[in-house]
Amino acid sequence: TLNSGSGLYLDLLFLLYCKLLDVDVILHHHSYGYINKHSQMVKRISEALSKDAMIFLSPKMRDDFKRVYGFQGASFTLNNIFQYDMSEYGMHEKYSDAPSLKIGFISNLAIEKGLDIVCRLVEELSSKNLNVKVILAGPFSDAEAKNRFEMIPENAQGYVDYLGPVYGDDKSAFFESLDLFIFPTLYENEAQPMVLVEALQYGVPVISTDRGAISDLLGPDFPTVEADGFIGAVLESVDSMLASDIRRSELTKQAYSRFGELKEISGNE
């Protein structure tokens, strides 16, 4: 993978040294930073590797890179799903006739990761008096993020729980408790957030904004939405899930199915 900033100079020198030694190079891309913002150094690296191979997280990432840098060498796609244990795949039954929902969000809790959107969603759920609770997990990235969370009005605080950072069994319990996972990221360099894969693995349907390779990851059953329409999309999904246990079960099956498709794609790449 490539470094960022001044580290790209070292990458270029190392790659040129490999070429002098006639060593084959395969570069695996994990960042959208230099795809969203053209880098002359990455352009030089791309030219130096014109006869070598590059691996991308998804077809969209590959196409975006080729559009920006004109790379014409061999290219392949390989998502990160291969690292997931399938032993418990499909075992987390989510079907429930409870007249309530739990919505989850786990991340480094930052404004650019969508924390403000999540807080406004909590306030909207409160105003509509819906039987829904939002569960937040992860550390606050800075004082601004923590202050925004603490600004949730008192009358809406019963609609949100904050767990703090969770790991291991606690993280598994977090996903097992959810009916819906949301990821309203605004982070410009988002690539392929693995929390989305984890949600699907636990049969949790996902609503996300479109950044990086997210649309390729989620597929047609869970289309991404624009940030401006995110809260509306969540409320629409909440209404349908509260109104129909069958709909809730269908979404769970779609989440499991999508995870299985990703696993199969990863195995074939």
Side-chain angles (χ1 to χ4, degrees):
T1 63
L2 294 178
N3 290 299
S4 59
S6 59
L8 287 170
Y9 291 92
L10 295 176
D11 290 334
L12 179 59
L13 290 174
F14 176 75
L15 292 171
L16 290 175
Y17 181 67
C18 289
K19 300 308 294 178
L20 286 174
L21 297 178
D22 198 27
V23 174
D24 292 333
V25 175
I26 298 177
L27 184 62
H28 195 175
H29 294 277
H30 287 266
S31 172
Y32 252 83
Y34 45 79
I35 297 177
N36 290 327
K37 185 176 181 179
H38 184 277
S39 165
Q40 192 60 36
M41 190 56 59
V42 174
K43 175 67 173 177
R44 292 176 181 174
I45 290 172
S46 177
E47 291 170 347
L49 299 182
S50 61
K51 295 183 179 180
D52 291 277
M54 293 191 182
I55 300 175
F56 300 89
L57 293 175
S58 77
K60 181 178 184 297
M61 187 183 203
R62 176 195 60 205
D63 295 345
D64 288 343
F65 183 89
K66 287 185 173 183
R67 172 177 50 79
V68 173
Y69 294 104
F71 179 72
Q72 297 298 320
S75 62
F76 308 91
T77 59
L78 177 66
N79 63 47
N80 289 325
I81 316 305
F82 67 89
Q83 65 186 289
Y84 279 81
D85 180 12
M86 288 290 285
S87 61
E88 297 185 10
Y89 169 61
M91 293 177 61
H92 306 279
E93 182 56 61
K94 309 297 291 187
Y95 180 81
S96 171
D97 59 0
S100 63
L101 291 177
K102 287 186 177 180
I103 299 174
F105 175 57
I106 185 171
S107 177
N108 287 320
L109 301 178
I111 300 301
E112 67 178 352
K113 284 286 191 174
L115 180 61
D116 178 63
I117 295 175
V118 174
C119 291
R120 288 191 283 117
L121 172 64
V122 171
E123 294 159 8
E124 188 70 17
L125 292 170
S126 171
S127 70
K128 294 182 176 297
N129 197 30
L130 294 173
N131 196 4
V132 178
K133 179 159 284 191
V134 177
I135 314 295
L136 271 66
F140 291 108
S141 64
D142 52 29
E144 180 186 15
K146 186 175 181 181
N147 289 339
R148 176 61 186 96
F149 177 75
E150 292 175 346
M151 286 173 56
I152 294 176
E154 185 175 353
N155 66 333
Q157 291 177 8
Y159 287 80
V160 61
D161 283 340
Y162 173 57
L163 303 181
V166 293
Y167 307 98
D169 291 343
D170 290 337
K171 190 175 185 182
S172 295
F174 165 78
F175 280 110
E176 287 178 335
S177 72
L178 302 180
D179 300 290
L180 178 66
F181 186 78
I182 58 173
F183 198 73
T185 181
L186 306 173
Y187 179 46
E188 184 178 4
N189 297 331
E190 201 80 68
Q192 191 181 72
M194 298 314 292
V195 292
L196 302 183
V197 179
E198 292 176 283
L200 295 174
Q201 183 185 24
Y202 281 86
V204 183
V206 175
I207 299 177
S208 175
T209 46
D210 188 11
R211 289 290 187 277
I214 291 178
S215 59
D216 275 354
L217 183 70
L218 295 180
D221 283 337
F222 301 107
T224 55
V225 298
E226 296 296 326
D228 290 346
F230 189 85
I231 292 177
V234 174
L235 292 175
E236 182 178 347
S237 184
V238 164
D239 286 341
S240 69
M241 294 175 76
L242 286 174
S244 171
D245 299 328
I246 294 175
R247 177 57 178 161
R248 197 184 306 196
S249 182
E250 287 174 346
L251 288 171
T252 296
K253 292 176 182 177
Q254 288 173 357
Y256 281 136
S257 176
R258 182 55 185 165
F259 180 79
E261 290 170 357
L262 290 169
K263 194 73 177 180
E264 182 177 354
I265 291 170
S266 180
N268 291 333
E269 288 175 340

